[in-house]
Amino acid sequence: MALIMPFVSVAISILYTPFLLLILCIIFLASIGKSLGVRRLYVNILLKLFEYGRQHIEVAKRIQRHDSSDEEDEPPVPPEDKPPSAIIKENGSLNGTKMSVIEREEILGPSPELNYKRSSSQERVKNGHTPDHKGEVSVQNNLEFHLSHCLDLVKAGMESIIEDQVTSVFEAEELRSWNLLTRTNRQYEFLTWRLTIIWAMGFIVRYMFLLPLRIFIFFVGTVTLVFTTPLVGLLPAGRIRRFCGQLCYKIAFRTMVRGLCGVVTYHDLQYKPKTTGLCVANHTSVIDVAILSSKHCYSMIGQRHNGFLGLLQRALSRASPHIWFERSEVKDRHIVAQRLKEHISVPDNPPILIFPEGTCINNTSVMQFKKGSFEVGGTIYPVAIKYDPRFGDAFWNSARYGMLHYLLNMMTSWAIVCDVWYLPAMRRAENESAVEFANRVKGVIATRGGLVDLMWDGQLKRMKAKKEWRELQQEEFSKRLKGE
């Protein structure tokens, strides 16, 4: 130990100055929103590394299968030893259409009267007719029960058991190839000696170099937000205070994104929110706020938190208007709507950033948008966010990980790579209900982001299906038995 310490002290003395200059350079570039392109070069190198690893994995698996076959050849196995359903889909979607294990019709759902589709045989039963073998039509009793009347419901139930649309969106999406992280769905670090060396070198780089660097940069961003906003709050209300508040806001969140090694590509900036209104986006993680706030200043709305999130909420409230609710107030729709209307009625207030899903989804789908945000009026600015899971899983499963644990996972990933699309502003039509408007906005976001548009409520991960949904299904089935 005595022999190692001199070498460590010499290494620290040599690397201290370059490391400090690197941190200062990153923070300065982040504060002005500029980049030298090093992170994108780093991402391109990672892609080539992943492809190199994939090829070696396929060769090693092929050799293993060849060695294990004695007399007859084995049937062809898909690449990476995955089921066909996992091979034909990438990131949960293909051209915006979900590629799932089974193709099914939406019979069971929140609104069966809208999604239920009768087959041709059921229509004939409804009309009281059925063709016989000679092509003649005979009349049947509408109240006569046939076992086939419930087969489509049984089929829908079996399909839901095989592949549950709700549960699957709250799990990390499966990758097509291993990304050299042991936390992902594939673990090949000891398959070959080359992969072992690559994985070990990546582990050293991520934990020994990138992690300390990212923690320090993220800490600087957090300190900037916490200590500058009280100073901005001391200024009198007016243009200078708004300018200083927006400046501190953007600098802090840009620095935090650099601390997570965020590589963000913004598209269609001409549609970025320009006036007060509601900015609506799909929700994957709390870092959605930092990514969107790097380009524009927003007001937040949400439930009050304790701990680290509570610290950031209190800091934000000191310099700009935000809307935080207690848990009991969030359930009161009238209070939320009233405070939203009051905010957007002030022309100088920044647009409110809202995630209408109400919970984090794994970035493969978009779930039901709550209608409350679409009842207050004003202009809606849709935004679609799509993360690349090959470099790091940005989905925050709050039931499994706390906030600090989640941030640690993000900082020990390769990078956070995502695309952000700003979409044209939308307004509610005259004869359009709030639910229809919410579904229209959700469909636009899902289409642009290549996400699957689901009708289910995201709160189903915390509660059971509503009693009204079950009663609607029972009523629909009773109508079919009566021939109505």
Side-chain angles (χ1 to χ4, degrees):
M1 191 67 181
L3 297 176
I4 298 177
M5 291 304 298
F7 291 101
V8 173
S9 60
V10 171
I12 292 176
S13 61
I14 294 175
L15 298 177
Y16 175 77
T17 301
F19 190 76
L20 182 60
L21 292 176
L22 176 63
I23 292 177
L24 293 177
C25 180
I26 294 174
I27 294 175
F28 173 74
L29 292 174
S31 61
I32 61 177
K34 300 298 181 180
S35 175
L36 297 178
V38 176
R39 288 171 298 145
R40 297 191 181 275
L41 177 62
Y42 164 72
V43 167
N44 292 331
I45 294 175
L46 286 176
L47 289 175
K48 295 180 180 180
L49 191 62
F50 295 160
E51 178 63 20
Y52 177 80
R54 184 189 65 80
Q55 294 175 357
H56 274 272
I57 290 172
E58 290 183 358
V59 172
K61 298 293 286 186
R62 195 180 301 116
I63 293 175
Q64 288 183 356
R65 290 194 298 268
H66 179 72
D67 294 340
S68 61
S69 58
D70 298 326
E71 297 180 356
E72 58 181 7
D73 295 335
E74 294 184 351
V77 180
E80 303 173 18
D81 198 21
K82 288 186 179 182
S85 61
I87 296 173
I88 63 175
K89 68 179 181 179
E90 180 177 6
N91 301 337
S93 63
L94 182 62
N95 297 329
T97 303
K98 186 177 181 180
M99 305 297 293
S100 56
V101 177
I102 49 182
E103 295 295 333
R104 54 182 165 188
E105 294 182 353
E106 294 296 346
I107 296 176
L108 299 176
S111 302
E113 69 276 11
L114 298 178
N115 299 289
Y116 173 63
K117 300 179 180 179
R118 300 180 186 272
S119 63
S120 58
S121 61
Q122 293 163 352
E123 287 292 341
R124 291 194 293 269
V125 171
K126 174 183 177 183
N127 297 327
H129 299 84
T130 182
D132 56 16
H133 296 286
K134 298 179 180 180
E136 299 178 355
V137 178
S138 60
V139 179
Q140 282 190 345
N141 186 355
N142 288 339
L143 297 179
E144 185 178 355
F145 172 76
H146 294 279
L147 182 61
S148 60
H149 292 177
C150 61
L151 289 182
D152 54 351
L153 290 175
V154 174
K155 173 176 174 289
M158 295 177 65
E159 290 171 346
S160 298
I161 294 174
I162 294 172
E163 187 181 40
D164 182 5
Q165 287 182 326
V166 176
T167 305
S168 60
V169 300
F170 298 114
E171 297 292 337
E173 53 183 312
E174 187 177 359
L175 302 180
R176 295 188 64 185
S177 60
W178 188 48
N179 60 354
L180 304 178
L181 297 178
T182 55
R183 70 185 71 148
T184 52
N185 54 303
R186 295 293 180 184
Q187 297 183 9
Y188 294 120
E189 60 269 25
F190 300 119
L191 187 61
T192 65
W193 63 270
R194 293 183 180 180
L195 287 177
T196 302
I197 293 176
I198 295 175
W199 170 78
M201 293 177 62
F203 181 88
I204 294 173
V205 170
R206 286 186 292 110
Y207 282 88
M208 303 300 177
F209 176 72
L210 293 181
L211 179 59
L213 181 66
R214 292 171 178 176
I215 290 178
F216 187 85
I217 296 174
F218 190 86
F219 177 76
V220 171
T222 305
V223 170
T224 302
L225 183 66
V226 172
F227 287 95
T228 58
T229 49
L231 300 178
V232 174
L234 298 177
L235 298 174
R239 182 177 300 178
I240 296 179
R241 176 175 175 175
R242 288 196 302 270
F243 173 79
C244 294
Q246 293 177 3
L247 183 62
C248 297
Y249 180 94
K250 290 181 180 179
I251 290 176
F253 280 114
R254 286 170 180 171
T255 307
M256 291 182 188
V257 172
R258 294 294 173 92
L260 298 172
C261 195
V263 182
V264 187
T265 303
Y266 298 93
H267 306 272
D268 303 324
L269 291 174
Q270 68 272 18
Y271 299 128
K272 188 174 64 172
K274 299 179 178 62
T275 59
T276 184
L278 304 178
C279 181
V280 174
N282 58 300
H283 198 23
T284 305
S285 164
V286 291
I287 64 176
D288 297 339
V289 176
I291 289 174
L292 294 177
S293 299
S294 298
K295 278 292 181 182
H296 194 72
C297 183
Y298 296 97
S299 291
M300 310 296 173
I301 179 172
Q303 180 181 311
R304 292 185 185 274
H305 290 274
N306 297 320
F308 181 72
L309 284 179
L311 176 66
L312 297 182
Q313 286 180 339
R314 291 188 294 271
L316 289 171
S317 299
R318 295 188 183 102
S320 55
H322 300 273
I323 304 174
W324 310 119
F325 294 96
E326 298 294 342
R327 185 178 297 272
S328 59
E329 294 178 340
V330 173
K331 298 179 181 179
D332 193 335
R333 192 173 297 173
H334 298 287
I335 296 178
V336 177
Q338 181 62 31
R339 296 188 64 177
L340 283 175
K341 291 179 180 178
E342 292 175 357
H343 182 92
I344 64 177
S345 63
V346 180
D348 294 332
N349 283 343
I352 300 179
L353 180 58
I354 296 180
F355 303 103
E357 291 168 295
T359 187
C360 295
I361 313 298
N362 69 350
N363 208 228
T364 62
S365 309
V366 182
M367 303 194 75
Q368 182 188 90
F369 278 10
K370 303 299 178 57
K371 66 177 183 178
S373 305
F374 302 88
E375 292 176 330
V376 299
T379 305
I380 299 294
Y381 300 96
V383 178
I385 307 174
K386 179 62 179 178
Y387 292 90
D388 193 333
R390 292 174 295 180
F391 304 94
D393 182 20
F395 169 55
W396 181 29
N397 190 346
S398 57
R400 181 178 299 179
Y401 303 114
M403 182 62 187
L404 295 181
H405 189 177
Y406 168 76
L407 289 177
L408 180 62
N409 286 340
M410 292 298 95
M411 292 181 183
T412 53
S413 298
W414 293 110
I416 302 299
V417 181
C418 72
D419 289 271
V420 176
W421 290 275
Y422 294 99
L423 303 173
M426 304 174 65
R427 296 189 68 90
R428 181 176 171 182
E430 293 183 1
N431 299 325
E432 189 177 29
S433 66
V435 175
E436 293 172 344
F437 185 34
N439 290 332
R440 181 158 64 94
V441 175
K442 178 167 68 79
V444 171
I445 293 175
T447 301
R448 192 63 189 89
L451 306 170
V452 181
D453 189 352
L454 297 179
M455 59 184 174
W456 297 101
D457 186 357
Q459 296 300 323
L460 283 174
K461 77 173 184 178
R462 299 185 180 93
M463 65 181 185
K464 297 182 179 179
K466 294 181 180 179
K467 181 180 178 182
E468 294 81 1
W469 296 355
R470 297 195 299 268
E471 292 177 349
L472 285 173
Q473 294 293 341
Q474 295 168 0
E475 181 181 355
E476 183 65 28
F477 185 58
S478 66
K479 290 180 179 179
R480 296 171 58 189
L481 292 180
K482 295 177 182 180
E484 298 179 0

